[in-house]
Coordinates of all heavy atoms in Angstrom, one line a residue:
G1 N -45.4 13.5 -50.9 CA -44.5 12.4 -51.3 C -44.4 12.3 -52.9 O -43.6 11.5 -53.3
V2 N -45.2 13.0 -53.6 CA -45.1 12.9 -55.1 C -44.4 14.1 -55.6 O -44.6 15.2 -55.3 CB -46.6 12.9 -55.7 CG1 -46.5 12.8 -57.2 CG2 -47.4 11.7 -55.1
E3 N -43.4 13.8 -56.5 CA -42.6 14.9 -57.1 C -43.2 15.4 -58.4 O -43.6 14.6 -59.3 CB -41.1 14.4 -57.4 CG -40.4 14.2 -56.1 CD -38.9 13.9 -56.4 OE1 -38.5 13.7 -57.6 OE2 -38.1 13.8 -55.4
F4 N -43.2 16.7 -58.5 CA -43.6 17.4 -59.7 C -42.5 18.3 -60.2 O -41.8 18.9 -59.4 CB -44.9 18.2 -59.5 CG -46.1 17.4 -59.0 CD1 -46.3 17.3 -57.7 CD2 -46.9 16.8 -59.9 CE1 -47.4 16.5 -57.2 CE2 -48.0 16.1 -59.5 CZ -48.3 15.9 -58.1
Y5 N -42.3 18.4 -61.5 CA -41.3 19.3 -62.0 C -41.9 20.4 -62.8 O -42.7 20.2 -63.7 CB -40.4 18.4 -62.9 CG -39.9 17.2 -62.2 CD1 -40.5 16.0 -62.4 CD2 -38.8 17.3 -61.3 CE1 -40.1 14.9 -61.7 CE2 -38.4 16.2 -60.6 CZ -39.0 15.0 -60.8 OH -38.6 13.9 -60.1
H6 N -41.6 21.7 -62.3 CA -42.3 22.9 -62.8 C -41.3 23.9 -63.1 O -40.1 23.7 -63.1 CB -43.3 23.4 -61.7 CG -44.4 22.4 -61.5 ND1 -45.2 21.9 -62.4 CD2 -44.9 22.0 -60.3 CE1 -46.1 21.1 -61.9 NE2 -45.9 21.1 -60.6
Y7 N -41.8 25.1 -63.4 CA -41.1 26.3 -63.9 C -41.2 27.4 -62.9 O -42.3 27.9 -62.6 CB -41.5 26.7 -65.2 CG -41.5 25.6 -66.3 CD1 -42.6 24.8 -66.5 CD2 -40.3 25.4 -67.0 CE1 -42.5 23.8 -67.4 CE2 -40.2 24.3 -67.9 CZ -41.4 23.5 -68.1 OH -41.3 22.5 -69.0
K8 N -40.1 27.9 -62.3 CA -40.1 29.0 -61.4 C -40.8 30.2 -62.0 O -41.6 30.9 -61.3 CB -38.7 29.4 -60.9 CG -38.1 28.5 -59.9 CD -36.8 29.2 -59.6 CE -35.8 28.2 -58.9 NZ -34.6 28.9 -58.6
T9 N -40.5 30.5 -63.2 CA -41.0 31.7 -63.8 C -42.5 31.7 -63.8 O -43.2 32.7 -63.5 CB -40.5 31.8 -65.3 OG1 -39.1 31.8 -65.3 CG2 -41.0 33.1 -66.0
I10 N -43.1 30.6 -64.1 CA -44.6 30.5 -64.1 C -45.1 30.7 -62.7 O -46.0 31.5 -62.5 CB -45.1 29.2 -64.7 CG1 -44.8 29.1 -66.2 CG2 -46.6 28.9 -64.4 CD1 -45.1 27.8 -66.8
M11 N -44.5 30.0 -61.8 CA -45.0 30.1 -60.4 C -44.8 31.5 -59.8 O -45.7 32.0 -59.2 CB -44.2 29.1 -59.5 CG -44.5 27.6 -60.0 SD -43.5 26.4 -59.1 CE -44.1 26.5 -57.5
C12 N -43.7 32.1 -60.1 CA -43.4 33.5 -59.6 C -44.3 34.6 -60.2 O -44.7 35.5 -59.6 CB -41.9 33.8 -59.7 SG -40.9 32.8 -58.6
S13 N -44.5 34.4 -61.5 CA -45.3 35.4 -62.2 C -46.7 35.4 -61.8 O -47.4 36.5 -62.0 CB -45.1 35.3 -63.7 OG -45.7 34.1 -64.2
R14 N -47.2 34.3 -61.4 CA -48.6 34.2 -61.0 C -49.0 34.2 -59.5 O -50.1 34.3 -59.2 CB -49.2 32.9 -61.6 CG -49.1 32.8 -63.2 CD -50.1 33.7 -63.8 NE -51.4 33.3 -63.3 CZ -52.5 33.7 -63.8 NH1 -52.6 34.6 -64.7 NH2 -53.7 33.3 -63.3
C15 N -47.9 34.1 -58.7 CA -48.2 34.0 -57.3 C -47.1 34.7 -56.4 O -45.9 34.3 -56.5 CB -48.3 32.5 -56.9 SG -48.6 32.3 -55.2
E16 N -47.5 35.7 -55.7 CA -46.5 36.5 -54.9 C -45.9 35.6 -53.8 O -44.7 35.8 -53.5 CB -47.3 37.6 -54.2 CG -46.3 38.6 -53.5 CD -47.0 39.8 -53.0 OE1 -48.2 40.0 -53.3 OE2 -46.4 40.5 -52.2
F17 N -46.6 34.6 -53.3 CA -46.0 33.7 -52.3 C -44.7 33.0 -52.9 O -43.7 33.0 -52.2 CB -47.1 32.6 -52.0 CG -46.5 31.5 -51.1 CD1 -46.4 31.7 -49.7 CD2 -46.2 30.3 -51.6 CE1 -45.9 30.7 -48.9 CE2 -45.7 29.3 -50.8 CZ -45.6 29.5 -49.5
F18 N -44.8 32.5 -54.1 CA -43.7 31.8 -54.7 C -42.6 32.8 -55.1 O -41.4 32.5 -55.0 CB -44.1 30.9 -55.9 CG -44.9 29.8 -55.5 CD1 -46.2 29.6 -55.9 CD2 -44.4 28.8 -54.6 CE1 -47.0 28.6 -55.5 CE2 -45.2 27.7 -54.2 CZ -46.5 27.6 -54.7
D19 N -43.0 34.0 -55.6 CA -42.0 35.0 -55.9 C -41.2 35.4 -54.7 O -40.0 35.5 -54.8 CB -42.7 36.2 -56.5 CG -41.7 37.2 -57.1 OD1 -40.7 36.8 -57.7 OD2 -42.0 38.4 -57.0
N20 N -41.9 35.6 -53.6 CA -41.2 35.9 -52.3 C -40.3 34.8 -51.9 O -39.1 35.0 -51.5 CB -42.2 36.3 -51.2 CG -42.8 37.6 -51.5 OD1 -42.3 38.5 -52.1 ND2 -44.0 37.8 -50.9
M21 N -40.8 33.6 -52.0 CA -40.0 32.4 -51.6 C -38.7 32.3 -52.4 O -37.6 32.1 -51.8 CB -40.8 31.2 -51.8 CG -40.1 29.9 -51.4 SD -41.1 28.4 -51.8 CE -42.3 28.5 -50.6
F22 N -38.8 32.5 -53.7 CA -37.6 32.3 -54.5 C -36.7 33.5 -54.6 O -35.5 33.4 -55.0 CB -38.0 31.9 -56.0 CG -38.5 30.5 -56.1 CD1 -39.8 30.3 -56.6 CD2 -37.8 29.5 -55.6 CE1 -40.3 29.0 -56.7 CE2 -38.3 28.2 -55.7 CZ -39.5 27.9 -56.3
S23 N -37.1 34.7 -54.1 CA -36.3 35.9 -54.1 C -35.7 36.2 -52.8 O -34.8 37.1 -52.7 CB -37.1 37.1 -54.7 OG -38.1 37.4 -53.8
A24 N -36.1 35.5 -51.7 CA -35.7 35.9 -50.4 C -34.5 35.1 -49.8 O -34.2 35.2 -48.6 CB -36.9 35.8 -49.4
G25 N -33.9 34.3 -50.7 CA -32.7 33.6 -50.2 C -33.1 32.4 -49.3 O -32.3 31.9 -48.5
M26 N -34.4 32.0 -49.3 CA -34.8 30.9 -48.5 C -34.3 29.6 -49.1 O -33.8 29.5 -50.2 CB -36.4 30.8 -48.6 CG -37.0 32.0 -47.9 SD -38.8 32.0 -48.0 CE -39.2 30.6 -46.9
R27 N -34.3 28.6 -48.2 CA -33.8 27.3 -48.6 C -34.3 26.8 -50.0 O -33.6 26.2 -50.8 CB -34.1 26.2 -47.5 CG -33.5 24.8 -47.8 CD -34.1 23.8 -46.9 NE -35.4 23.5 -47.3 CZ -36.4 23.2 -46.5 NH1 -36.2 23.1 -45.2 NH2 -37.6 23.0 -47.0
E28 N -35.6 27.0 -50.2 CA -36.3 26.6 -51.4 C -35.6 27.2 -52.6 O -35.5 26.5 -53.7 CB -37.8 26.9 -51.4 CG -38.6 26.1 -50.4 CD -38.5 26.6 -49.0 OE1 -37.9 27.6 -48.7 OE2 -39.2 26.0 -48.1
S29 N -35.2 28.5 -52.5 CA -34.6 29.1 -53.7 C -33.2 28.5 -54.0 O -32.8 28.5 -55.1 CB -34.5 30.6 -53.5 OG -33.6 31.0 -52.5
K30 N -32.5 28.1 -52.9 CA -31.2 27.5 -53.1 C -31.2 26.1 -53.6 O -30.4 25.7 -54.4 CB -30.4 27.6 -51.8 CG -30.1 29.0 -51.4 CD -29.5 29.1 -50.0 CE -29.3 30.5 -49.5 NZ -29.0 30.6 -48.1
D31 N -32.2 25.4 -53.1 CA -32.4 23.9 -53.5 C -33.2 23.7 -54.7 O -33.2 22.6 -55.2 CB -33.0 23.2 -52.3 CG -32.1 23.2 -51.1 OD1 -30.9 23.5 -51.2 OD2 -32.6 22.8 -50.0
N32 N -33.9 24.7 -55.1 CA -34.9 24.6 -56.2 C -35.9 23.4 -55.9 O -36.2 22.6 -56.8 CB -34.2 24.4 -57.6 CG -33.5 25.6 -58.0 OD1 -33.9 26.7 -57.8 ND2 -32.3 25.4 -58.5
R33 N -36.3 23.4 -54.7 CA -37.2 22.3 -54.2 C -38.1 22.9 -53.2 O -37.7 23.5 -52.2 CB -36.4 21.2 -53.7 CG -37.1 20.0 -53.2 CD -36.1 18.9 -52.7 NE -36.8 17.7 -52.3 CZ -37.1 16.7 -53.1 NH1 -36.7 16.7 -54.3 NH2 -37.7 15.6 -52.6
I34 N -39.4 22.6 -53.3 CA -40.4 23.0 -52.4 C -41.1 21.7 -51.9 O -41.4 20.9 -52.7 CB -41.5 23.9 -53.0 CG1 -40.8 25.2 -53.6 CG2 -42.6 24.3 -52.0 CD1 -41.8 26.0 -54.5
E35 N -41.4 21.6 -50.6 CA -42.0 20.5 -50.1 C -43.3 20.8 -49.3 O -43.3 21.7 -48.5 CB -41.1 19.7 -49.2 CG -39.9 19.2 -50.0 CD -39.0 18.2 -49.2 OE1 -39.6 17.4 -48.4 OE2 -37.8 18.1 -49.5
F36 N -44.4 20.2 -49.6 CA -45.7 20.2 -48.9 C -46.0 18.8 -48.5 O -46.8 18.2 -49.2 CB -46.7 20.8 -49.8 CG -46.5 22.2 -50.3 CD1 -46.2 22.5 -51.6 CD2 -46.5 23.3 -49.4 CE1 -46.0 23.8 -52.1 CE2 -46.3 24.6 -49.9 CZ -46.0 24.8 -51.2
P37 N -45.4 18.3 -47.5 CA -45.5 16.9 -47.1 C -46.9 16.4 -46.7 O -47.3 15.3 -47.0 CB -44.6 16.7 -46.0 CG -44.3 18.0 -45.4 CD -44.5 19.0 -46.5
D38 N -47.7 17.3 -46.2 CA -49.1 17.0 -45.7 C -50.2 17.4 -46.7 O -51.3 17.4 -46.3 CB -49.3 17.6 -44.3 CG -48.3 17.1 -43.3 OD1 -47.8 16.0 -43.4 OD2 -47.9 17.9 -42.4
K39 N -49.9 17.7 -47.9 CA -50.9 18.2 -48.8 C -51.2 17.1 -49.8 O -50.4 16.1 -50.0 CB -50.4 19.5 -49.5 CG -50.2 20.6 -48.6 CD -51.4 21.0 -47.8 CE -51.2 22.1 -46.9 NZ -52.3 22.4 -46.0
N40 N -52.3 17.3 -50.5 CA -52.8 16.3 -51.5 C -52.2 16.6 -52.9 O -52.4 17.7 -53.4 CB -54.3 16.4 -51.5 CG -55.0 15.4 -52.5 OD1 -54.5 15.0 -53.5 ND2 -56.1 14.9 -52.1
P41 N -51.6 15.6 -53.5 CA -51.0 15.8 -54.8 C -52.0 16.2 -55.9 O -51.7 17.0 -56.8 CB -50.3 14.4 -55.2 CG -50.1 13.8 -53.8 CD -51.2 14.3 -53.0

């Protein structure tokens, strides 16, 4: 429920999970928003 504002380039360059997410046409890449509702901020 806490919003953080970050940089795709940093996330994608350091983590294949995020690179795949943003390059695969997933909802997250279109909305520029990722949600982890059950995780700890």
Side-chain angles (χ1 to χ4, degrees):
V2 178
E3 289 189 351
F4 298 94
Y5 306 98
H6 296 308
Y7 304 93
K8 282 187 199 178
T9 302
I10 290 173
M11 295 172 69
C12 292
S13 68
R14 299 285 303 187
C15 180
E16 188 174 350
F17 172 80
F18 292 116
D19 188 36
N20 289 333
M21 178 184 289
F22 288 124
S23 65
M26 296 177 68
R27 182 191 73 213
E28 290 84 357
S29 69
K30 295 175 185 168
D31 296 344
N32 293 321
R33 183 178 181 90
I34 303 169
E35 297 191 31
F36 300 109
D38 300 328
K39 300 300 179 185
N40 182 326

